[in-house]
Amino acid sequence: QITVTGDTVALPIATEGMAIVLAQMLRNAGEHGAGLVRIEAAQSPEGVSLDIADDGCGISKGNEARVFEPFFTTRRTSGGTGMGLAVVRNLLSAHRAGIMLCTGQPTRFRILFGRAATD
């Protein structure tokens, strides 16, 4: 189940690019046991943010610092390549945006478009 809340915002990224980002985020959530994903949009003077949170099994403290590293995966034996979040980060960077993992539970990522992402 996916719920979307927050502000109605224009995203400075092509629909196709955002579809790639969201598809990867949703795939990761599903592969880690999520049944619910929440996407919340917000507009601020610093730019637009999207928070993507899920109720899956979470990311261990030991892996938090590595989730964006190319080829880092906890799912190699079941086909994971470790490229998903690295591709997401690079795609967003090409659009002057950034992504960060917000520590703690539930698993939550924040995507920032605009000045806050590049400062």
Side-chain angles (χ1 to χ4, degrees):
Q1 180 181 359
I2 302 169
T3 63
V4 180
T5 61
D7 299 333
T8 299
V9 297
L11 300 177
I13 184 172
T15 302
E16 295 82 3
M18 198 65 222
I20 291 169
V21 168
L22 290 175
Q24 183 61 49
M25 302 303 290
L26 294 171
R27 183 173 25 259
N28 282 358
E31 289 174 350
H32 291 90
L36 174 64
V37 176
R38 292 181 190 89
I39 301 171
E40 183 174 0
Q43 176 74 53
S44 72
E46 290 77 32
V48 174
S49 67
L50 287 180
D51 279 11
I52 303 170
D54 68 64
D55 66 350
C57 63
I59 299 170
S60 72
K61 289 280 186 202
N63 289 337
E64 286 177 350
R66 300 188 66 198
V67 296
F68 295 106
E69 288 179 18
F71 307 109
F72 174 74
T73 181
T74 59
R75 299 190 60 253
R76 188 151 330 271
T77 59
S78 58
T81 64
M83 291 305 296
L85 288 176
V87 168
V88 164
R89 177 175 264 179
N90 287 336
L91 178 62
L92 289 169
S93 179
H95 289 84
R96 298 184 50 91
I99 184 170
M100 60 188 258
L101 172 64
C102 303
T103 58
Q105 294 294 334
T107 300
R108 183 169 54 98
F109 289 87
R110 176 165 287 162
I111 298 172
L112 296 171
F113 294 92
R115 199 184 73 170
T118 58
D119 287 351

